[in-house]
Amino acid sequence: MARSDAEARALLAEFGIDEAPIDPVQLAEKLGVLIVPQEMPDDVSGMLLRRGDEQIIGVNQKHHENRRRFTVAHELGHLRLHRGRPLILDTDTRVNFRDTVSSMATDREEMEANRFAAALLAPEPMVRRAAREADFRTAQELVHLMAERFRMSDMAMNYRLINLGVIADPT
């Protein structure tokens, strides 16, 4: 099991969460992370700011609710998996941004944070159980049903189902 998946599973177990949909904002709050919806450029989904014991996730308030949920889960992935990148300020602060480049997951930390977010929002056992119980005719219908069930975008759920081997090809 990948480190991202193991960390997501451990976080869910830590708080006894075993039913979807998972609320990443509630998890963040339980971890003492402040969630701040704010105005951001369209190509920035969110950011994680760490300063000492303070942890803040900024989320683009203009984005769709499902995207904001994934962004919070993604930033929690950075929090659990990565030390953060330095940002030159007048204080000792570390920041991770989620933007159009990071959402394409071209670097290792972004791929891990995306994988963590998918595993947190759509845990494998829950996905497999829901897929077995779903009434669908096509892979596209399954993706849509599962996306609604787990409150994710169709695209994010499509990737999750492919990565879990539930479906073979993108819909």
Side-chain angles (χ1 to χ4, degrees):
M1 176 184 313
R3 183 173 143 220
S4 301
D5 298 77
E7 283 292 327
R9 184 174 287 185
L11 181 57
L12 293 171
E14 183 178 333
F15 293 105
I17 298 170
D18 58 5
E19 278 194 44
I22 309 301
D23 185 347
V25 171
Q26 183 181 52
L27 275 172
E29 290 169 351
K30 287 180 178 185
L31 292 170
V33 179
L34 179 63
I35 304 296
V36 181
Q38 57 189 12
E39 294 267 338
M40 295 180 174
D42 287 340
D43 70 332
V44 176
S45 299
M47 66 177 199
L48 170 62
L49 177 99
R50 293 179 263 204
R51 183 176 42 219
D53 291 339
E54 236 183 346
Q55 298 148 346
I56 301 167
I57 293 176
V59 181
N60 191 329
Q61 65 189 14
K62 294 183 284 186
H63 287 175
H64 187 277
E65 177 188 353
N66 288 342
R67 186 167 181 188
R68 291 191 314 262
R69 288 170 39 77
F70 195 91
T71 295
V72 171
H74 174 98
E75 300 305 343
L76 286 174
H78 280 304
L79 184 65
R80 298 292 278 220
L81 299 167
H82 309 125
R83 292 183 56 216
R85 297 182 183 113
L87 177 68
I88 300 170
L89 294 173
D90 291 334
T91 61
D92 183 21
T93 302
R94 298 182 81 73
V95 172
N96 293 97
F97 285 99
R98 183 165 192 268
D99 56 20
T100 52
V101 173
S102 66
S103 68
M104 291 188 306
T106 56
D107 93 354
R108 183 187 58 81
E109 285 190 1
E110 295 306 322
M111 288 188 289
E112 287 178 341
N114 282 344
R115 184 170 177 148
F116 176 94
L120 186 72
L121 295 176
E124 182 175 359
M126 292 182 207
V127 168
R128 291 192 185 285
R129 183 174 54 245
R132 280 192 308 272
E133 295 169 357
D135 182 23
F136 64 96
R137 289 191 181 96
T138 66
Q140 188 173 9
E141 282 182 23
L142 176 63
V143 167
H144 186 70
L145 285 170
M146 299 291 280
E148 285 184 344
R149 169 80 176 97
F150 290 89
R151 295 181 54 206
M152 296 170 68
S153 70
D154 283 10
M155 184 182 353
M157 182 53 72
N158 194 18
Y159 285 122
R160 184 67 174 149
L161 294 175
I162 289 169
N163 290 334
L164 292 176
V166 175
I167 61 174
D169 299 309
T171 62

